[in-house]
Amino acid sequence: MNRMKGKVVIITGAAQGIGAVYAKAIAAEGAHVVVADVLDGSSVVAEIEASGAQALTITTDVSDERSAAAMATAAVERFGRIDVLINNAAIYASLKMQSFEEIDLDEWDKVMAVNVRGPFVCARAVAPHMRAQKYGRIINISSGTPFKGTPNLLHYVTSKGAILSLTRALARELGDHGIAVNTLAPGLVLSEGVVANAEMRERLTAPVIASRAIKRDQMPEDLIGPLLFLASDESAFMTGETVVVDGGSVMH
């Protein structure tokens, strides 16, 4: 229960959903957690602190460079360092499934700003702190969809495909500084947002489960073990990789 003892971990998009599950699981392993979200993360922080761990919430727009910089500064001011960044914030469950010809360009730009520019901007905000200590872990969250070419969500699938390339290139740039960069790629997870999106559940759940070797719904808790592996020193000699966790729908 102490794999992350004393580590300082920033998790974007952690005020609710899968991000909140990540935050509580990381805290339970001894880490100090920064909940960075455009939404209010105080309830997640209160729950973490009630368990005896330390946490901080900061309002963060991951697509904004100044906001990301303020996030990193707040983490260092409170906890003295940054060891892990989990780039979880993304636009997904609120999207309407539709043909690529029907996607509004403003929506396309918004998805790219959060899902692609966000991890880039946040990585750039924490990298100087990680370089200075010659240690760091950056975990980007992609998806199984780029491996499948899932239709009717072209902007989302494209954004998550970009994360695979971002991870590989960033791993090359940061490896000499003791910083590992990897990707966690979940399948269709029954997060709060997905459960609330009836259309998405109706159109995707049955075919996704049918494609899996382990034929059941995926829950947020299924991601905790792989996430802790990537965030801890257990994966110290691993970088530039993508770990797909989806019950065997994608095998690569």
Side-chain angles (χ1 to χ4, degrees):
M1 298 296 291
N2 289 300
R3 277 182 286 180
M4 302 298 297
K5 186 175 182 180
K7 301 296 186 184
V8 178
V9 182
I10 297 174
I11 309 174
T12 66
Q16 63 178 10
I18 298 175
V21 172
Y22 291 161
K24 288 179 274 190
I26 290 280
E29 290 286 341
H32 306 317
V33 176
V34 178
V35 174
D37 205 313
V38 290
L39 303 176
D40 181 10
S42 57
S43 63
V44 176
V45 167
E47 191 172 344
I48 290 172
E49 291 181 335
S51 72
Q54 295 186 47
L56 166 71
T57 182
I58 179 167
T59 301
T60 306
D61 175 358
V62 298
S63 68
D64 181 82
E65 189 172 27
R66 285 178 294 183
S67 185
M71 171 194 75
T73 298
V76 172
E77 287 178 350
R78 172 69 183 275
F79 297 120
R81 56 190 290 126
I82 300 170
D83 296 296
V84 181
L85 167 66
I86 302 172
N87 278 315
N88 170 71
I91 297 174
Y92 170 57
S94 61
L95 296 173
K96 178 183 178 182
M97 297 188 68
Q98 57 189 328
S99 162
F100 78 97
E101 295 167 308
E102 299 172 329
I103 294 174
D104 181 80
L105 289 181
D106 288 339
E107 182 174 278
W108 173 280
D109 290 342
K110 185 176 181 181
V111 168
M112 294 300 161
V114 174
N115 295 13
V116 183
R117 190 169 74 217
F120 160 64
V121 166
C122 290
R124 197 153 69 170
V126 305
H129 303 282
M130 292 181 175
R131 279 198 195 97
Q133 65 200 23
K134 300 292 288 183
Y135 179 92
R137 301 280 183 270
I138 296 175
I139 304 170
N140 298 316
I141 308 297
S142 181
S143 163
T145 58
F147 298 96
K148 300 178 180 182
T150 301
N152 299 313
L153 286 167
L154 188 66
H155 42 0
Y156 174 76
V157 177
T158 302
S159 73
K160 290 303 184 179
I163 291 300
L164 305 179
S165 297
L166 183 152
T167 294
R168 291 165 184 160
L170 194 58
R172 294 286 184 190
E173 290 201 36
L174 294 177
D176 285 341
H177 303 281
I179 303 168
V181 187
N182 290 292
T183 295
L184 180 64
L188 179 66
V189 181
L190 291 192
S191 62
E192 296 171 18
V194 169
V195 170
N197 189 327
E199 179 195 24
M200 190 172 285
R201 285 215 64 190
E202 181 178 346
R203 294 178 64 175
L204 292 181
T205 299
V208 166
I209 291 177
S211 73
R212 289 173 175 163
I214 302 172
K215 293 182 173 18
R216 66 165 173 83
D217 283 319
Q218 181 171 4
M219 308 306 293
E221 290 72 20
D222 291 317
L223 297 164
I224 291 174
L227 180 77
L228 287 170
F229 169 71
L230 294 176
S232 71
D233 289 338
E234 293 173 7
S235 60
F237 200 55
M238 176 178 171
T239 194
E241 295 295 335
T242 298
V243 178
V244 179
V245 182
D246 68 351
S249 177
V250 169
M251 297 182 182
H252 76 109

